[in-house]
Amino acid sequence: MRIFLLGVVSVLTLLAGCAQSSESSDTEEFTLAHNMPTDHPIHESLVDFQRILEEKSDGSMKLRIYANEQLGSEREAIEMTQTNAIQFTKVSASALEGFSESYSLFSMPYLFDSQEQYRETMKMPEIQEAFYNKTADNGFIGITYYDAGVRNMYTNDRILETNDDMRGLRTRVQPSQTSVQMIEALGGTPTPMGFGEVYTALQSGMLDAAENNESALTDNNHGEVAKHYFYTEHAMVPDILIMNVDAFNELSEQQQEWVQEAAAESTELHEPRWDESMEEARQIAEEEMGVTFHNVDKSSFMEAVEPLQESFQENEATREQYDLIMGENNNE
Ligand code: GCU
């Protein structure tokens, strides 16, 4: 598998440097890779992006989408985007923390008060400016965000009532320093790993717990091996569509607009699709997979992570973004 992936990567590397001209010299083809299956709502929204971009450009800008980690994990897809081996990827903001510290803010527990506030904030032009260009020196920029839901804890068989029940639980987190600190603050044992490894790790008992939105149970089958889901609602970490910065700069102004408009329109279409998918996921997990959904004492989780939240108030590297999100600028 590894050899196959390397093969794909080196072919893509040979093609690096520009999108591919195909069919006629007026048609450019771009590559986008991501880590979710094709029946996942995020894939469907990326297909919207593909369709709208093609429509706006009258067929002159085409997108080839590789789903399902076919080209590698989120980390590998970011690295391929950096080198322009692929032009786009969609990754969790947590995966971008290692490329710009500003993104660590999204892994801060309880950053947003509500889903409405989260969605509104993520669409504010000043917020987008404060994040999306921060990685330009690393070879890529943000283009849009997609709602990736509310993250909650789930376990093989352990029952959580308060955060005390997290003690010693080997809990999978995304490879992000802030996510590691969050599980430490809650008393668990953080185990960072790529998303594609989580199912087997839960199944083999290497992990006791993980945290994600409801679709991880169904679209990614974790509900087969994790039977309890707890509404800790500890984070809303957006997915970010990123693009190689040179590939973007080489586009004409008109093409750049098409990319941005197509992305923004796909973000709008994504929201109702997401809400419907999460309801459906809960129903399928409950009725067909035997997962039990629990309410927990959320306040104990909130209290346990207060020191981590406070450390963000003092962090100069994320101050601009923190103030913007907290709306402090409006109060001046
Ligand atoms: C969410 C997110 C993915 C990410 C995954 C994870 O599902 O949308 O981009 O890979 O969480 O926990 O790794």
Short mmCIF file of all heavy atoms in Angstrom, two decimals, residues 214-270:
data_model
loop_
_atom_site.label_atom_id
_atom_site.label_comp_id
_atom_site.label_asym_id
_atom_site.label_seq_id
_atom_site.Cartn_x
_atom_site.Cartn_y
_atom_site.Cartn_z
N GLU A 214 -21.01 12.95 14.99
CA GLU A 214 -21.80 11.71 14.92
C GLU A 214 -21.49 10.88 13.67
O GLU A 214 -21.63 9.65 13.68
CB GLU A 214 -23.31 12.02 14.94
CG GLU A 214 -23.82 12.61 16.25
CD GLU A 214 -23.70 14.13 16.33
OE1 GLU A 214 -22.87 14.72 15.62
OE2 GLU A 214 -24.45 14.73 17.12
N SER A 215 -21.08 11.52 12.59
CA SER A 215 -20.90 10.76 11.35
C SER A 215 -19.70 9.82 11.43
O SER A 215 -19.58 8.89 10.63
CB SER A 215 -20.79 11.68 10.13
OG SER A 215 -19.53 12.27 10.11
N ALA A 216 -18.80 10.04 12.40
CA ALA A 216 -17.67 9.11 12.56
C ALA A 216 -18.21 7.71 12.91
O ALA A 216 -17.62 6.69 12.55
CB ALA A 216 -16.73 9.60 13.66
N LEU A 217 -19.36 7.69 13.61
CA LEU A 217 -19.94 6.41 14.00
C LEU A 217 -20.47 5.64 12.80
O LEU A 217 -20.36 4.41 12.74
CB LEU A 217 -21.11 6.64 14.98
CG LEU A 217 -20.81 7.36 16.29
CD1 LEU A 217 -22.11 7.70 17.01
CD2 LEU A 217 -19.90 6.50 17.18
N THR A 218 -21.04 6.37 11.85
CA THR A 218 -21.73 5.71 10.73
C THR A 218 -20.88 5.72 9.45
O THR A 218 -20.48 4.67 8.96
CB THR A 218 -23.08 6.41 10.47
OG1 THR A 218 -22.84 7.83 10.34
CG2 THR A 218 -24.05 6.16 11.60
N ASP A 219 -20.57 6.93 8.94
CA ASP A 219 -19.82 7.00 7.68
C ASP A 219 -18.45 6.33 7.81
O ASP A 219 -17.91 5.82 6.83
CB ASP A 219 -19.63 8.47 7.24
CG ASP A 219 -20.96 9.09 6.85
OD1 ASP A 219 -21.81 8.38 6.31
OD2 ASP A 219 -21.16 10.29 7.11
N ASN A 220 -17.86 6.39 9.01
CA ASN A 220 -16.55 5.79 9.22
C ASN A 220 -16.63 4.51 10.05
O ASN A 220 -15.58 3.99 10.48
CB ASN A 220 -15.59 6.81 9.85
CG ASN A 220 -15.57 8.12 9.08
OD1 ASN A 220 -16.18 9.10 9.49
ND2 ASN A 220 -14.90 8.15 7.94
N ASN A 221 -17.82 4.07 10.32
CA ASN A 221 -18.10 2.77 10.97
C ASN A 221 -17.61 2.64 12.42
O ASN A 221 -17.56 1.53 12.95
CB ASN A 221 -17.49 1.60 10.16
CG ASN A 221 -18.01 1.59 8.74
OD1 ASN A 221 -19.19 1.84 8.52
ND2 ASN A 221 -17.13 1.35 7.78
N HIS A 222 -17.25 3.73 13.07
CA HIS A 222 -16.74 3.58 14.45
C HIS A 222 -17.82 3.04 15.39
O HIS A 222 -17.50 2.48 16.44
CB HIS A 222 -16.19 4.92 14.98
CG HIS A 222 -14.97 5.40 14.25
ND1 HIS A 222 -14.27 6.53 14.61
CD2 HIS A 222 -14.33 4.92 13.16
CE1 HIS A 222 -13.25 6.72 13.78
NE2 HIS A 222 -13.28 5.77 12.88
N GLY A 223 -19.08 3.23 15.02
CA GLY A 223 -20.19 2.72 15.84
C GLY A 223 -20.20 1.20 15.94
O GLY A 223 -20.85 0.63 16.81
N GLU A 224 -19.48 0.54 15.05
CA GLU A 224 -19.37 -0.93 15.14
C GLU A 224 -18.53 -1.32 16.35
O GLU A 224 -18.68 -2.40 16.90
CB GLU A 224 -18.69 -1.49 13.88
CG GLU A 224 -19.57 -1.40 12.63
CD GLU A 224 -18.82 -1.81 11.37
OE1 GLU A 224 -17.64 -2.24 11.46
OE2 GLU A 224 -19.40 -1.69 10.29
N VAL A 225 -17.61 -0.45 16.75
CA VAL A 225 -16.68 -0.81 17.82
C VAL A 225 -16.76 0.12 19.04
O VAL A 225 -16.13 -0.15 20.06
CB VAL A 225 -15.22 -0.86 17.28
CG1 VAL A 225 -15.02 -2.08 16.41
CG2 VAL A 225 -14.85 0.40 16.51
N ALA A 226 -17.51 1.20 18.93
CA ALA A 226 -17.68 2.13 20.06
C ALA A 226 -19.17 2.26 20.31
O ALA A 226 -19.90 2.72 19.44
CB ALA A 226 -17.08 3.48 19.74
N LYS A 227 -19.61 1.85 21.47
CA LYS A 227 -21.06 1.73 21.68
C LYS A 227 -21.67 2.84 22.54
O LYS A 227 -22.87 2.85 22.77
CB LYS A 227 -21.37 0.34 22.31
CG LYS A 227 -21.01 -0.82 21.37
CD LYS A 227 -21.82 -0.79 20.06
CE LYS A 227 -21.48 -1.93 19.13
NZ LYS A 227 -22.07 -1.75 17.78
N HIS A 228 -20.83 3.78 23.03
CA HIS A 228 -21.38 4.86 23.87
C HIS A 228 -20.87 6.21 23.40
O HIS A 228 -19.66 6.41 23.24
CB HIS A 228 -21.01 4.63 25.34
CG HIS A 228 -21.64 3.39 25.89
ND1 HIS A 228 -22.95 3.35 26.33
CD2 HIS A 228 -21.14 2.13 26.03
CE1 HIS A 228 -23.23 2.12 26.72
NE2 HIS A 228 -22.16 1.35 26.56
N TYR A 229 -21.79 7.13 23.19
CA TYR A 229 -21.47 8.47 22.67
C TYR A 229 -21.99 9.49 23.67
O TYR A 229 -23.15 9.42 24.10
CB TYR A 229 -22.16 8.62 21.31
CG TYR A 229 -21.71 9.82 20.50
CD1 TYR A 229 -20.61 9.76 19.65
CD2 TYR A 229 -22.42 11.02 20.57
CE1 TYR A 229 -20.22 10.85 18.89
CE2 TYR A 229 -22.03 12.11 19.81
CZ TYR A 229 -20.93 12.01 18.97
OH TYR A 229 -20.54 13.10 18.20
N PHE A 230 -21.14 10.44 24.06
CA PHE A 230 -21.46 11.36 25.17
C PHE A 230 -21.41 12.81 24.69
O PHE A 230 -20.37 13.24 24.17
CB PHE A 230 -20.43 11.18 26.31
CG PHE A 230 -20.35 9.77 26.78
CD1 PHE A 230 -19.46 8.87 26.19
CD2 PHE A 230 -21.19 9.31 27.79
CE1 PHE A 230 -19.40 7.55 26.61
CE2 PHE A 230 -21.14 7.98 28.21
CZ PHE A 230 -20.24 7.10 27.62
N TYR A 231 -22.49 13.55 24.94
CA TYR A 231 -22.55 14.93 24.46
C TYR A 231 -21.74 15.89 25.33
O TYR A 231 -22.30 16.72 26.05
CB TYR A 231 -24.01 15.38 24.33
CG TYR A 231 -24.65 14.79 23.11
CD1 TYR A 231 -25.68 13.84 23.22
CD2 TYR A 231 -24.21 15.13 21.83
CE1 TYR A 231 -26.25 13.27 22.09
CE2 TYR A 231 -24.77 14.56 20.69
CZ TYR A 231 -25.80 13.63 20.83
OH TYR A 231 -26.35 13.07 19.71
N THR A 232 -20.43 15.78 25.24
CA THR A 232 -19.54 16.70 25.95
C THR A 232 -19.45 18.03 25.21
O THR A 232 -19.08 19.04 25.78
CB THR A 232 -18.13 16.09 26.04
OG1 THR A 232 -17.76 15.60 24.73
CG2 THR A 232 -18.09 14.95 27.04
N GLU A 233 -19.73 18.01 23.92
CA GLU A 233 -19.74 19.22 23.07
C GLU A 233 -18.51 20.08 23.31
O GLU A 233 -18.62 21.30 23.44
CB GLU A 233 -21.03 20.01 23.34
CG GLU A 233 -22.27 19.23 22.98
CD GLU A 233 -23.57 19.98 23.27
OE1 GLU A 233 -23.57 20.83 24.18
OE2 GLU A 233 -24.57 19.71 22.57
N HIS A 234 -17.35 19.44 23.37
CA HIS A 234 -16.16 20.18 23.79
C HIS A 234 -15.47 20.99 22.69
O HIS A 234 -14.61 21.80 22.98
CB HIS A 234 -15.14 19.21 24.44
CG HIS A 234 -14.78 18.08 23.53
ND1 HIS A 234 -15.49 16.91 23.50
CD2 HIS A 234 -13.82 17.96 22.60
CE1 HIS A 234 -14.97 16.11 22.59
NE2 HIS A 234 -13.95 16.73 22.02
N ALA A 235 -15.83 20.75 21.43
CA ALA A 235 -15.18 21.55 20.38
C ALA A 235 -15.98 21.55 19.09
O ALA A 235 -16.70 20.60 18.79
CB ALA A 235 -13.76 21.01 20.11
N MET A 236 -15.84 22.65 18.35
CA MET A 236 -16.34 22.71 16.97
C MET A 236 -15.13 23.09 16.14
O MET A 236 -14.72 24.26 16.11
CB MET A 236 -17.42 23.79 16.83
CG MET A 236 -18.67 23.45 17.59
SD MET A 236 -19.89 24.77 17.45
CE MET A 236 -20.50 24.79 19.13
N VAL A 237 -14.53 22.11 15.52
CA VAL A 237 -13.30 22.36 14.76
C VAL A 237 -13.66 22.36 13.27
O VAL A 237 -14.09 21.33 12.75
CB VAL A 237 -12.23 21.27 15.05
CG1 VAL A 237 -10.93 21.61 14.32
CG2 VAL A 237 -11.99 21.13 16.54
N PRO A 238 -13.52 23.49 12.61
CA PRO A 238 -13.93 23.53 11.20
C PRO A 238 -13.00 22.73 10.29
O PRO A 238 -11.83 22.53 10.61
CB PRO A 238 -13.84 25.02 10.86
CG PRO A 238 -12.85 25.58 11.84
CD PRO A 238 -13.00 24.77 13.09
N ASP A 239 -13.54 22.30 9.18
CA ASP A 239 -12.71 21.78 8.10
C ASP A 239 -12.33 22.97 7.21
O ASP A 239 -13.17 23.85 6.98
CB ASP A 239 -13.50 20.77 7.25
CG ASP A 239 -13.48 19.38 7.85
OD1 ASP A 239 -12.77 19.17 8.84
OD2 ASP A 239 -14.19 18.51 7.32
N ILE A 240 -11.11 22.97 6.72
CA ILE A 240 -10.65 24.09 5.89
C ILE A 240 -10.23 23.56 4.52
O ILE A 240 -9.49 22.57 4.44
CB ILE A 240 -9.43 24.82 6.54
CG1 ILE A 240 -9.70 25.17 8.01
CG2 ILE A 240 -9.05 26.06 5.74
CD1 ILE A 240 -10.65 26.31 8.27
N LEU A 241 -10.73 24.22 3.47
CA LEU A 241 -10.27 23.90 2.12
C LEU A 241 -9.02 24.74 1.85
O LEU A 241 -9.09 25.97 1.94
CB LEU A 241 -11.36 24.25 1.10
CG LEU A 241 -11.00 24.03 -0.37
CD1 LEU A 241 -10.84 22.54 -0.69
CD2 LEU A 241 -12.06 24.63 -1.29
N ILE A 242 -7.90 24.10 1.60
CA ILE A 242 -6.68 24.85 1.34
C ILE A 242 -6.23 24.65 -0.11
O ILE A 242 -6.56 23.66 -0.75
CB ILE A 242 -5.53 24.49 2.31
CG1 ILE A 242 -5.12 23.01 2.19
CG2 ILE A 242 -5.92 24.81 3.74
CD1 ILE A 242 -3.80 22.67 2.89
N MET A 243 -5.45 25.63 -0.60
CA MET A 243 -4.97 25.56 -1.99
C MET A 243 -3.50 25.97 -2.05
O MET A 243 -3.08 26.87 -1.31
CB MET A 243 -5.80 26.52 -2.86
CG MET A 243 -5.39 26.50 -4.32
SD MET A 243 -6.44 27.55 -5.35
CE MET A 243 -5.79 27.10 -6.97
N ASN A 244 -2.75 25.35 -2.93
CA ASN A 244 -1.35 25.73 -3.11
C ASN A 244 -1.28 27.21 -3.50
O ASN A 244 -2.00 27.66 -4.40
CB ASN A 244 -0.70 24.86 -4.20
CG ASN A 244 0.72 25.31 -4.49
OD1 ASN A 244 0.93 26.19 -5.31
ND2 ASN A 244 1.68 24.74 -3.79
N VAL A 245 -0.40 27.95 -2.85
CA VAL A 245 -0.39 29.41 -3.05
C VAL A 245 0.08 29.80 -4.45
O VAL A 245 -0.45 30.74 -5.06
CB VAL A 245 0.42 30.12 -1.93
CG1 VAL A 245 1.90 29.83 -2.02
CG2 VAL A 245 0.17 31.61 -1.94
N ASP A 246 1.04 29.08 -5.02
CA ASP A 246 1.50 29.42 -6.38
C ASP A 246 0.41 29.12 -7.40
O ASP A 246 0.18 29.90 -8.32
CB ASP A 246 2.77 28.64 -6.75
CG ASP A 246 3.93 29.02 -5.86
OD1 ASP A 246 3.95 30.18 -5.38
OD2 ASP A 246 4.81 28.17 -5.62
N ALA A 247 -0.25 27.98 -7.21
CA ALA A 247 -1.34 27.63 -8.15
C ALA A 247 -2.41 28.71 -8.10
O ALA A 247 -2.97 29.09 -9.14
CB ALA A 247 -1.92 26.27 -7.79
N PHE A 248 -2.67 29.25 -6.91
CA PHE A 248 -3.68 30.31 -6.80
C PHE A 248 -3.19 31.58 -7.48
O PHE A 248 -3.90 32.20 -8.26
CB PHE A 248 -4.01 30.58 -5.33
CG PHE A 248 -5.10 31.60 -5.14
CD1 PHE A 248 -6.43 31.24 -5.32
CD2 PHE A 248 -4.80 32.93 -4.83
CE1 PHE A 248 -7.46 32.19 -5.18
CE2 PHE A 248 -5.82 33.88 -4.68
CZ PHE A 248 -7.15 33.51 -4.85
N ASN A 249 -1.94 31.95 -7.20
CA ASN A 249 -1.41 33.20 -7.76
C ASN A 249 -1.28 33.17 -9.28
O ASN A 249 -1.34 34.20 -9.93
CB ASN A 249 -0.06 33.55 -7.13
CG ASN A 249 -0.26 33.99 -5.68
OD1 ASN A 249 -1.33 34.47 -5.32
ND2 ASN A 249 0.77 33.82 -4.86
N GLU A 250 -1.11 31.96 -9.81
CA GLU A 250 -0.99 31.86 -11.28
C GLU A 250 -2.33 32.00 -11.99
O GLU A 250 -2.37 32.17 -13.20
CB GLU A 250 -0.36 30.49 -11.65
CG GLU A 250 1.15 30.53 -11.54
CD GLU A 250 1.75 29.12 -11.42
OE1 GLU A 250 1.06 28.15 -11.77
OE2 GLU A 250 2.90 29.03 -10.96
N LEU A 251 -3.41 31.93 -11.25
CA LEU A 251 -4.73 32.09 -11.87
C LEU A 251 -4.96 33.55 -12.24
O LEU A 251 -4.43 34.46 -11.59
CB LEU A 251 -5.83 31.65 -10.90
CG LEU A 251 -5.84 30.20 -10.43
CD1 LEU A 251 -6.95 30.00 -9.39
CD2 LEU A 251 -6.03 29.25 -11.60
N SER A 252 -5.78 33.79 -13.25
CA SER A 252 -6.17 35.17 -13.56
C SER A 252 -7.08 35.65 -12.44
O SER A 252 -7.61 34.84 -11.67
CB SER A 252 -6.92 35.21 -14.89
OG SER A 252 -8.17 34.55 -14.73
N GLU A 253 -7.31 36.96 -12.39
CA GLU A 253 -8.18 37.50 -11.35
C GLU A 253 -9.58 36.88 -11.43
O GLU A 253 -10.19 36.55 -10.42
CB GLU A 253 -8.30 39.01 -11.53
CG GLU A 253 -7.82 39.77 -10.32
CD GLU A 253 -7.70 41.24 -10.60
OE1 GLU A 253 -8.75 41.90 -10.73
OE2 GLU A 253 -6.55 41.72 -10.75
N GLN A 254 -10.04 36.73 -12.67
CA GLN A 254 -11.36 36.14 -12.89
C GLN A 254 -11.42 34.70 -12.37
O GLN A 254 -12.36 34.30 -11.69
CB GLN A 254 -11.67 36.18 -14.40
CG GLN A 254 -12.92 35.46 -14.80
CD GLN A 254 -14.19 36.15 -14.27
OE1 GLN A 254 -14.69 37.07 -14.88
NE2 GLN A 254 -14.68 35.69 -13.13
N GLN A 255 -10.35 33.95 -12.65
CA GLN A 255 -10.33 32.55 -12.18
C GLN A 255 -10.29 32.49 -10.65
O GLN A 255 -10.92 31.64 -10.04
CB GLN A 255 -9.12 31.83 -12.77
CG GLN A 255 -9.24 31.53 -14.26
CD GLN A 255 -7.98 30.88 -14.79
OE1 GLN A 255 -6.87 31.36 -14.54
NE2 GLN A 255 -8.13 29.79 -15.52
N GLN A 256 -9.52 33.40 -10.07
CA GLN A 256 -9.45 33.43 -8.59
C GLN A 256 -10.84 33.69 -8.02
O GLN A 256 -11.24 33.09 -7.03
CB GLN A 256 -8.47 34.51 -8.12
CG GLN A 256 -7.03 34.18 -8.46
CD GLN A 256 -6.06 35.25 -8.00
OE1 GLN A 256 -6.44 36.34 -7.57
NE2 GLN A 256 -4.77 34.95 -8.11
N GLU A 257 -11.57 34.60 -8.66
CA GLU A 257 -12.92 34.89 -8.19
C GLU A 257 -13.81 33.66 -8.31
O GLU A 257 -14.58 33.36 -7.40
CB GLU A 257 -13.54 36.00 -9.06
CG GLU A 257 -13.52 37.34 -8.40
CD GLU A 257 -14.02 38.42 -9.34
OE1 GLU A 257 -15.06 38.24 -10.01
OE2 GLU A 257 -13.33 39.46 -9.43
N TRP A 258 -13.69 32.95 -9.42
CA TRP A 258 -14.52 31.75 -9.60
C TRP A 258 -14.22 30.74 -8.49
O TRP A 258 -15.13 30.13 -7.93
CB TRP A 258 -14.25 31.11 -10.96
CG TRP A 258 -14.85 31.85 -12.12
CD1 TRP A 258 -15.94 32.67 -12.10
CD2 TRP A 258 -14.36 31.85 -13.47
NE1 TRP A 258 -16.17 33.16 -13.36
CE2 TRP A 258 -15.23 32.67 -14.22
CE3 TRP A 258 -13.30 31.22 -14.12
CZ2 TRP A 258 -15.05 32.89 -15.59
CZ3 TRP A 258 -13.13 31.43 -15.48
CH2 TRP A 258 -14.00 32.27 -16.21
N VAL A 259 -12.94 30.56 -8.19
CA VAL A 259 -12.56 29.60 -7.14
C VAL A 259 -13.20 30.03 -5.82
O VAL A 259 -13.84 29.24 -5.11
CB VAL A 259 -11.02 29.51 -6.98
CG1 VAL A 259 -10.63 28.78 -5.70
CG2 VAL A 259 -10.41 28.82 -8.20
N GLN A 260 -13.07 31.33 -5.51
CA GLN A 260 -13.57 31.79 -4.22
C GLN A 260 -15.09 31.74 -4.14
O GLN A 260 -15.65 31.36 -3.11
CB GLN A 260 -13.02 33.18 -3.90
CG GLN A 260 -11.72 33.01 -3.13
CD GLN A 260 -10.79 34.19 -3.18
OE1 GLN A 260 -10.87 35.03 -4.09
NE2 GLN A 260 -9.89 34.25 -2.23
N GLU A 261 -15.73 32.13 -5.23
CA GLU A 261 -17.20 32.10 -5.22
C GLU A 261 -17.72 30.66 -5.16
O GLU A 261 -18.66 30.37 -4.42
CB GLU A 261 -17.75 32.76 -6.50
CG GLU A 261 -17.60 34.27 -6.49
CD GLU A 261 -17.90 34.87 -7.87
OE1 GLU A 261 -18.35 34.14 -8.78
OE2 GLU A 261 -17.64 36.08 -8.03
N ALA A 262 -17.11 29.78 -5.95
CA ALA A 262 -17.56 28.38 -5.96
C ALA A 262 -17.39 27.78 -4.56
O ALA A 262 -18.25 27.05 -4.06
CB ALA A 262 -16.79 27.57 -6.99
N ALA A 263 -16.27 28.11 -3.92
CA ALA A 263 -16.01 27.58 -2.58
C ALA A 263 -17.03 28.12 -1.58
O ALA A 263 -17.63 27.36 -0.81
CB ALA A 263 -14.59 27.95 -2.15
N ALA A 264 -17.29 29.44 -1.64
CA ALA A 264 -18.24 30.05 -0.69
C ALA A 264 -19.64 29.47 -0.91
O ALA A 264 -20.37 29.19 0.05
CB ALA A 264 -18.25 31.57 -0.85
N GLU A 265 -20.02 29.27 -2.16
CA GLU A 265 -21.35 28.70 -2.43
C GLU A 265 -21.45 27.26 -1.92
O GLU A 265 -22.48 26.84 -1.40
CB GLU A 265 -21.67 28.78 -3.94
CG GLU A 265 -21.98 30.21 -4.36
CD GLU A 265 -22.16 30.38 -5.88
OE1 GLU A 265 -22.66 29.45 -6.54
OE2 GLU A 265 -21.79 31.47 -6.39
N SER A 266 -20.36 26.52 -2.06
CA SER A 266 -20.41 25.13 -1.58
C SER A 266 -20.48 25.10 -0.05
O SER A 266 -21.10 24.20 0.53
CB SER A 266 -19.22 24.31 -2.09
OG SER A 266 -18.00 24.77 -1.56
N THR A 267 -19.90 26.09 0.60
CA THR A 267 -19.99 26.19 2.07
C THR A 267 -21.44 26.41 2.50
O THR A 267 -21.91 25.82 3.47
CB THR A 267 -19.10 27.34 2.57
OG1 THR A 267 -17.74 26.97 2.36
CG2 THR A 267 -19.30 27.64 4.05
N GLU A 268 -22.15 27.26 1.75
CA GLU A 268 -23.58 27.52 2.07
C GLU A 268 -24.40 26.25 1.89
O GLU A 268 -25.24 25.92 2.72
CB GLU A 268 -24.15 28.61 1.15
CG GLU A 268 -23.64 30.01 1.44
CD GLU A 268 -24.02 30.52 2.83
OE1 GLU A 268 -25.04 30.07 3.38
OE2 GLU A 268 -23.26 31.35 3.36
N LEU A 269 -24.15 25.54 0.79
CA LEU A 269 -24.92 24.32 0.52
C LEU A 269 -24.61 23.24 1.56
O LEU A 269 -25.43 22.36 1.84
CB LEU A 269 -24.60 23.78 -0.89
CG LEU A 269 -25.05 24.66 -2.05
CD1 LEU A 269 -24.49 24.15 -3.38
CD2 LEU A 269 -26.59 24.68 -2.12
N HIS A 270 -23.41 23.31 2.09
CA HIS A 270 -22.96 22.29 3.05
C HIS A 270 -23.76 22.33 4.36
O HIS A 270 -24.01 21.28 4.96
CB HIS A 270 -21.47 22.52 3.34
CG HIS A 270 -20.88 21.57 4.32
ND1 HIS A 270 -20.63 20.24 4.02
CD2 HIS A 270 -20.48 21.75 5.62
CE1 HIS A 270 -20.10 19.65 5.08
NE2 HIS A 270 -20.01 20.54 6.06
#
